[in-house]
Amino acid sequence: MNRGTGLLIVGIAVGAAALLWSALALGHTWTASEPMETSLFGVWTVPYDTQAPELSLLMAAIALVLVIVAAVARIDRRATNRSRRSSDRSVTPLAPKIVMAATRGVFSGPVTVTVLIPAHNEEAPLPLTLASLATQSHRPARVIVVADNCSDDTVEIARAAGVEVFETVGNTEKKAGGLNQMLVELLPGQGPNDIVMVMDADTRLDAGFLEAGVARFENDRALMAVGGLFQGEEGHGLLGQFQRNEYTRYARQIRRRRGRVFVLTGTASMFHPLALRTIGENRGRTIPGRRGDVYDTAALTEDNELTIALKSLGGLMISPAECTVVTELMPDLRLLWRQRLRWQRGALENIGAYGVTPQTFRYWVQQLGIGYSAIALSSFLLLVLVTLLSIDRWICFPFWMGVGLIFMAERVITVWRGGWRARLLALTIIPELLFDLLLNIVYLEGVLDITLGRRADWGNSTSANLKLAGNHSGGGLER
């Protein structure tokens, strides 16, 4: 289904845009009118036009949006509730009802954390990553650097820091393959009170991350995973601020969802061993992949795929506001393009592999939203450009200026936690719209690559690595 996934989403988006355009063309006749003029501060004469869409048209558009949002939320909530109440061990073995029944009255001791850090040539960022683990208020019991085909000093730096090193053998399946090799050895010895954390080698945990995550597991025996919320490091100029604004908006979105997870981010996530073992047991049976593998080595965005796998098996997961990390950003457009193309194509391939199910429905809607956004934003910017080239004087439209002010306020409010630089960039609007247009072009290339069956091979990354994920952000940023 992969090759048809992108075409299906784009086809629906184009069809929706065409229907909307047809409805507008048939339902309203636009007539030219002579603009009026007013004096501003007694100095400037400002022409303006009060023309606006008909009220009935506006109300119909608002009603349509509310109906779609409510329907998606209802379907998503219904799927979640059914999963939580499920007693079908063959389909949802990780459902809370099943897990709670199996662990009722059992205390296995205090929670311990084993941290796995997959690393390919990560000598530059690794010391800061290890330092952030050493300063945790809840110290990990073990830290293991999974060194995959390293040709730099990654192994030596890890050993000098006093942590364990696992060197992969004959791995040709990148991060997923390296982690699978490690987990085959680790999981059999993990008990009910043990937690496995996987984090990127260029990520720094905030000091209370592990303590907050452990508390969540201790307070909810059915919890299978805790994901982190990521913030971008400082620097990298305007391009860096674009990315930080994205991450700030994504974190706000998750907080508003009370931690309900879109993606268990690869930057840092904690897992119950039962969840990882159950995924391996069900690969090739009820979920895609090779039997016994925790991570699907065929997935470009294995962390996004792992999230869908857990949801498909009924697993309960959360991203608490207290679990935050700082991660590296892409320093130039070439690396950013490669990173986002991998994210976007991986997300499309993941939902194509699982098909349309109650657990993947929201992901399909997110991708449809991105497809529609690509059409709407490019059409808007083209219209603005044509208008600027064709007019001989500027005419104010109070209605559309009001809409623009609402949009501006939303952009600023959603990055407020990011500081004054984030707010200032959001206030200018156009630069961020152009950045969004760039991401839409990446989306379209991902669709084209999948449709044409182009081979996806980015090779291994450097310390400014290509993080893995899956929405966005139009439908939500997924890392």
Side-chain angles (χ1 to χ4, degrees):
M1 187 177 179
N2 277 346
R3 294 187 67 171
T5 300
L7 278 181
L8 176 62
I9 291 173
V10 171
I12 294 175
V14 171
L19 285 173
L20 179 60
W21 181 85
S22 299
L24 288 172
L26 294 173
H28 187 87
T29 301
W30 296 93
T31 56
S33 60
E34 188 66 24
M36 294 172 281
E37 293 185 346
T38 187
S39 177
L40 188 63
F41 304 117
V43 178
W44 297 287
T45 298
V46 180
Y48 68 95
D49 193 326
T50 58
Q51 189 172 211
E54 294 178 355
L55 181 60
S56 59
L57 190 63
L58 288 175
M59 297 303 294
I62 294 172
L64 179 60
V65 170
L66 292 177
V67 167
I68 293 174
V69 170
V72 172
R74 173 62 178 165
I75 293 172
D76 187 53
R77 178 59 62 89
R78 186 176 181 182
T80 300
N81 290 339
R82 280 190 172 183
S83 177
R84 289 179 177 178
R85 298 167 184 165
S86 174
S87 300
D88 190 344
R89 296 177 181 273
S90 64
V91 178
T92 55
L94 295 177
K97 185 175 181 179
I98 296 174
V99 174
M100 295 289 282
T103 58
R104 184 171 291 117
V106 178
F107 176 70
S108 300
V111 173
T112 65
V113 180
T114 297
V115 179
L116 304 183
I117 307 175
H120 170 77
N121 292 345
E122 301 284 1
E123 62 179 7
L126 186 58
L128 289 178
T129 300
L130 296 177
S132 75
L133 288 168
T135 58
Q136 289 294 300
S137 53
H138 181 107
R139 296 289 294 274
R142 298 175 67 186
V143 177
I144 306 172
V145 173
V146 182
D148 180 41
N149 299 313
C150 294
S151 57
D152 64 355
D153 293 331
T154 295
V155 173
E156 289 73 16
I157 289 173
R159 286 176 176 154
V163 302
E164 301 176 51
V165 176
F166 175 86
E167 296 188 66
T168 61
V169 178
N171 178 43
T172 59
E173 295 171 323
K174 302 184 177 66
K175 176 183 175 181
L179 284 171
N180 283 338
Q181 286 190 14
M182 178 71 250
L183 289 169
V184 165
E185 297 193 10
L186 179 68
L187 287 180
Q190 295 288 294
N193 61 326
D194 297 322
I195 297 298
V196 177
M197 180 176 189
V198 180
M199 65 178 294
D200 284 345
D202 61 358
T203 295
R204 303 186 297 279
L205 302 182
D206 288 340
F209 189 111
L210 292 186
E211 182 178 1
V214 166
R216 294 284 180 154
F217 281 108
E218 289 176 336
N219 294 329
D220 189 346
R221 290 181 291 115
L223 189 62
M224 290 292 106
V226 170
L229 295 178
F230 45 87
Q231 304 166 352
E233 64 181 354
E234 290 299 319
H236 307 305
L238 183 61
L239 187 61
Q241 192 61 58
F242 282 136
Q243 296 171 76
R244 284 190 292 274
N245 278 15
E246 274 190 293
Y247 298 168
T248 300
R249 289 191 176 100
Y250 177 72
R252 181 178 185 274
Q253 189 176 17
I254 297 300
R255 285 193 298 269
R256 287 170 61 84
R257 285 171 54 85
R258 298 181 181 179
R260 293 195 298 275
V261 178
F262 284 129
V263 174
L264 290 169
T265 169
T267 51
S269 290
M270 306 169 73
F271 302 93
H272 197 292
L274 173 63
L276 300 180
R277 283 194 288 262
T278 303
I279 289 174
E281 292 167 359
N282 283 273
R283 290 282 185 203
R285 189 172 66 87
T286 61
I287 57 175
R290 186 171 57 202
R291 183 63 180 262
D293 283 353
V294 173
Y295 285 90
D296 184 3
T297 57
L300 287 177
T301 49
E302 65 268 6
D303 304 311
N304 182 61
E305 192 280 335
L306 192 70
T307 305
I308 299 176
L310 276 173
K311 287 188 175 184
S312 298
L313 297 173
L316 181 64
M317 60 196 77
I318 192 172
S319 287
E322 305 88 350
C323 294
T324 57
V325 305
V326 177
T327 190
E328 283 193 339
L329 302 176
M330 296 299 101
D332 58 53
L333 282 174
R334 181 182 63 86
L335 284 174
L336 179 69
W337 183 281
R338 287 160 61 88
Q339 179 201 55
R340 297 311 172 88
L341 183 58
R342 185 171 187 171
W343 289 8
Q344 190 56 69
R345 178 166 176 173
L348 289 168
E349 290 183 352
N350 290 160
I351 61 175
Y354 278 82
V356 181
T357 69
Q359 289 75 27
T360 63
F361 179 75
R362 176 176 284 274
Y363 296 97
W364 282 93
V365 172
Q366 288 173 344
Q367 293 301 319
L368 179 59
I370 297 174
Y372 187 84
S373 170
I375 298 169
L377 180 57
S378 57
S379 299
F380 169 74
L381 292 176
L382 179 61
L383 180 61
V384 169
L385 179 61
V386 170
T387 301
L388 290 175
L389 293 175
S390 59
I391 63 175
D392 55 4
R393 63 171 175 164
W394 188 264
I395 301 174
C396 295
F397 288 84
F399 175 83
W400 295 112
M401 289 181 67
V403 172
L405 287 174
I406 294 173
F407 178 74
M408 180 186 297
E410 186 274 339
R411 300 295 287 182
V412 173
I413 291 170
T414 53
V415 299
W416 196 261
R417 286 174 177 253
W420 69 269
R421 292 186 181 88
R423 300 166 200 165
L424 181 61
L425 179 60
L427 191 64
T428 58
I429 294 184
I430 296 300
E432 281 200 318
L433 288 181
L434 293 176
F435 181 72
D436 289 343
L437 180 62
L438 172 67
L439 299 185
N440 286 337
I441 295 173
V442 172
Y443 168 83
L444 294 175
E445 181 176 338
V447 171
L448 184 62
D449 286 350
I450 291 176
T451 304
L452 297 179
R454 292 174 180 168
R455 185 169 178 264
D457 185 7
W458 278 268
N460 284 307
S461 58
T462 61
S463 61
N465 59 63
L466 308 176
K467 306 280 190 307
L468 305 180
N471 159 324
H472 156 227
S473 208
L477 184 67
E478 299 173 354
R479 242 182 118 86

